Amino acid sequence: MNWIQMHDCYGEVDHVPALLERVELGDDAEAWEELGHRLVLECELVFPAGFAALPYLVHLASRSSRARGLAGTILRCAAGHHGCDDLLADCADAIAEFSELLDRHLQTRPVDYLATFLDLLAAKEQYHWSAVLGDFTDDFYHLACPHCAVEVTIAIGDHGRYSAIRDWHLGDVDRRGLRPVSSGEFSGIGRWMYETAVRDGHGALADGIAHLFGKAECPRCASVFNIADEYTSANRPVLR
């Protein structure tokens, strides 16, 4: 790796390799903190040094939760306008290895299950779901009805599973119950999300996903549409 061309978020090129050496030798909390600050700006924008460091972090991830978390953060930012598409492409093998590692970690039912689930979605280039998926205790998704274009609020949480029109003063009005997809009707990334949650014993997550990939009725025009399809169409990043 030619680190001279791999600047971090401070515009420097000589600090990251030394920090990687420190964390490989031991769990150096100070070095990990500085690495996080240098590779990803405020958990939103990744820099060339971040992609250059990704294979090193994946190498450490099987024995370091800090490495696993930082690698996941880098991948969640991969849909941004970082200008490093060639570096990201070079990380394909490391990302594949990281995906397998994350899947094994999920099967241990860890305390950081949802965070790991979101990191794995990012590794699968499902950046929009990685960015917005919650634990379905109080999740809301906003999208336009594909038929009448009114903004519809989709609620999936402890207070209900419904579509509604959100009113500034009255809250969610004219609620219509969602129609969850059955397990046999799933396809694509939805099937993977649902089956993974079921496999790992996360029933609440699986039920939320079934509603998210199900259908909603527009409170304005009464048309019925697929929630996930409309949300994906409106929010999925255009990958170059």
Side-chain angles (χ1 to χ4, degrees):
M1 181 63 63
N2 184 5
W3 284 103
I4 293 186
Q5 300 176 0
M6 306 300 165
H7 66 272
D8 59 28
C9 68
Y10 296 111
E12 299 174 337
V13 297
D14 55 348
H15 285 74
V16 170
L19 290 170
L20 288 172
E21 289 183 8
R22 285 172 57 184
V23 297
E24 187 164 12
L25 291 173
D27 191 20
D28 188 325
E30 183 179 335
W32 277 118
E33 183 176 2
E34 186 175 354
L35 262 178
H37 290 314
R38 287 184 174 276
L39 299 183
V40 185
L41 181 62
E42 297 182 353
C43 296
E44 293 184 357
L45 181 62
V46 64
F47 286 75
F51 292 120
L54 189 59
Y56 296 86
L57 296 174
V58 171
H59 171 70
L60 297 174
S62 62
R63 56 185 172 89
S64 170
S65 61
R66 295 179 191 268
R68 188 176 65 246
L70 184 51
T73 298
I74 290 169
L75 284 180
R76 290 202 211 185
C77 298
H81 297 289
H82 43 69
C84 302
D85 295 337
D86 54 339
L87 291 176
L88 179 59
D90 289 342
C91 292
D93 290 342
I95 293 172
E97 179 183 346
F98 190 51
S99 296
E100 294 177 2
L101 183 150
L102 291 175
D103 191 59
R104 291 195 299 271
H105 186 60
L106 286 177
Q107 293 179 62
T108 68
R109 303 185 182 184
V111 295
D112 62 343
Y113 186 91
L114 181 60
T116 303
F117 193 90
L118 299 180
D119 288 345
L120 186 47
L121 281 170
K124 292 178 176 291
E125 297 187 352
Q126 297 293 325
Y127 300 112
H128 58 305
W129 294 129
S130 176
V132 302
L133 193 71
D135 60 3
F136 296 112
T137 57
D138 196 26
D139 283 20
F140 294 93
Y141 301 87
H142 305 283
L143 48 83
C145 170
H147 300 281
C148 72
V150 69
E151 184 173 288
V152 179
T153 294
I154 304 296
I156 309 175
D158 294 341
H159 299 292
R161 290 159 166 75
Y162 58 82
S163 59
I165 302 296
R166 177 153 292 181
D167 183 273
W168 181 262
H169 300 289
L170 301 177
D172 292 341
V173 299
D174 200 3
R175 299 184 181 188
R176 311 288 177 93
L178 301 182
R179 308 173 189 182
V181 63
S182 67
S183 59
E185 296 175 328
F186 271 106
S187 62
I189 191 62
R191 174 179 291 277
W192 176 86
M193 292 166 68
Y194 178 81
E195 291 181 348
T196 300
V198 170
R199 178 198 70 185
D200 299 334
H202 283 262
L205 182 61
D207 181 72
I209 292 169
H211 282 82
L212 180 61
F213 281 80
K215 294 181 178 180
E217 180 180 344
C218 174
R220 176 70 57 82
C221 70
S223 63
V224 177
F225 56 87
N226 183 282
I227 302 165
D229 286 351
E230 294 305 319
Y231 189 86
T232 298
S233 177
N235 293 280
R236 183 169 186 170
V238 177
L239 300 180
R240 299 171 298 281

